[in-house]
């Protein structure tokens, strides 16, 4: 499976381009709703670029790292009024489109906003949902790992790849050969530490 490991610098370029596209369309939201967890960091950055003070989250449960649940569902609903608001719904990527669809259905149940538009940093053409705005289009499918999810995703790749007993150097080489990514030594070490924490929690349960 091909993986794209997005750096913080690359994320900033994507976020800025996305913000500029939204500005150019003359849409000025007065509220941003992040699809948590992936959309939280992009949403906060867009608040900064678009001068939006009201930020809310709706938690859609669909993926844990690369493992997908059977369907996207609202785990933590919105808790603030949305009637009459101009809302921008934000996620990191439009992958299957299910998270956007679930979020929009939830907004319709919660009230009557004046306008709702959607955006993502990247849009995969295989998605059943096309956001109103996106910075990049992905034409050849790959799993995208954003910097706020790097430790979790790398941990899954290490665990699923049977690399728990390998050295950091061996893990780095395997990830490069299998997935085309080159995480830093620090990222690999942090992913291994997080896996140890996870195993400790699982054994305690």
């Amino acid at each position: 499976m091909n993986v794209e490991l997005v750096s913080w610098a690359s994320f900033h370029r994507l976020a800025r381009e996305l913000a500029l596209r939204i500005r150019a369309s003359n849409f000025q939201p007065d509220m941003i709703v992040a699809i948590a967890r992936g959309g939280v960091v992009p949403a906060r950055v867009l608040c900064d670029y678009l001068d939006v003070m009201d930020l809310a989250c709706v938690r859609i449960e669909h993926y844990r790292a690369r493992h997908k649940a059977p369907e996207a569902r609202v785990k933590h609903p919105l808790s603030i009024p949305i009637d009459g608001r101009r809302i921008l719904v934000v996620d990191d990527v439009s992958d299957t489109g299910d998270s956007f669809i679930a979020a929009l259905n939830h907004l319709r149940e919660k009230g009557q906003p004046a306008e709702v538009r959607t955006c993502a940093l990247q849009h995969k053409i295989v998605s059943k949902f096309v956001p109103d705005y996106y910075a990049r289009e992905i034409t050849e499918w790959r799993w995208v790992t954003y910097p706020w999810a790097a430790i979790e995703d790398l941990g899954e790749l290490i665990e699923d790849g049977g690399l728990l007993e390998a050295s950091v150097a061996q893990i780095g080489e395997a990830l490069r050969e299998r997935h085309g990514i080159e995480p830093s030594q620090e990222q690999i070490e942090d992913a291994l530490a997080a896996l140890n924490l996870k195993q400790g929690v699982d054994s305690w349960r």
Side-chain angles (χ1 to χ4, degrees):
M1 181 184 69
N2 290 332
V3 177
E4 177 185 355
L5 190 59
V6 178
S7 68
W8 283 109
S10 295
F11 157 64
H12 179 261
R13 287 191 292 271
L14 289 168
R16 182 175 184 274
E17 183 171 342
L18 180 59
L20 293 178
R21 291 187 179 197
I22 295 167
R23 281 184 190 171
S25 74
N26 293 319
F27 176 62
Q28 179 57 50
D30 53 39
M31 177 180 177
I32 287 180
V33 173
I35 297 178
R37 293 180 300 163
V40 172
V41 177
R44 178 59 185 91
V45 173
L46 287 175
C47 282
D48 196 28
Y49 273 108
L50 302 176
D51 192 28
V52 177
M53 295 302 296
D54 285 351
L55 171 62
C57 295
V58 56
R59 171 78 165 95
I60 306 294
E61 193 170 68
H62 198 204
Y63 281 96
R64 179 172 176 83
R66 298 174 300 109
H67 299 290
K68 187 171 74 170
E71 62 180 19
R73 65 183 184 89
V74 177
K75 186 173 183 181
H76 300 309
L78 278 174
S79 58
I80 61 174
I82 61 171
D83 290 342
R85 308 297 296 274
R86 296 187 305 277
I87 298 174
L88 180 66
V89 179
V90 182
D91 207 354
D92 48 8
V93 63
S94 177
D95 189 341
T96 64
D98 292 338
S99 293
F100 272 115
I101 293 169
L104 292 176
N105 287 338
H106 180 62
L107 287 177
R108 295 185 189 102
E109 294 170 357
K110 294 293 289 185
Q112 295 182 326
E115 187 174 4
V116 178
R117 297 192 190 183
T118 56
C119 71
L121 297 171
Q122 294 175 291
H123 166 63
K124 298 180 182 181
I125 61 170
V126 297
S127 174
K128 67 183 74 168
F129 182 88
V130 181
D132 295 298
Y133 311 98
Y134 51 90
R136 291 284 188 276
E137 186 176 74
I138 296 176
T139 57
E140 295 184 11
W141 194 94
R142 57 188 177 272
W143 180 259
V144 182
T145 293
Y146 296 98
W148 50 86
I151 303 308
E152 181 179 312
D153 284 5
L154 288 173
E156 293 281 355
L157 292 173
I158 291 168
E159 190 172 33
D160 291 351
L163 298 168
L164 287 173
E165 302 303 321
S167 68
V168 170
Q170 289 170 331
I171 291 171
E173 180 64 19
L175 294 177
R176 185 184 66 79
E177 291 181 354
R178 298 176 187 179
H179 306 293
I181 56 174
E182 296 188 23
S184 67
Q185 177 178 328
E186 181 180 88
Q187 286 177 313
I188 294 172
E189 290 172 347
D190 289 346
L192 289 169
L195 284 171
N196 287 332
L197 287 174
K198 175 185 171 185
Q199 290 171 351
V201 170
D202 289 343
S203 63
W204 178 79
R205 288 174 180 168

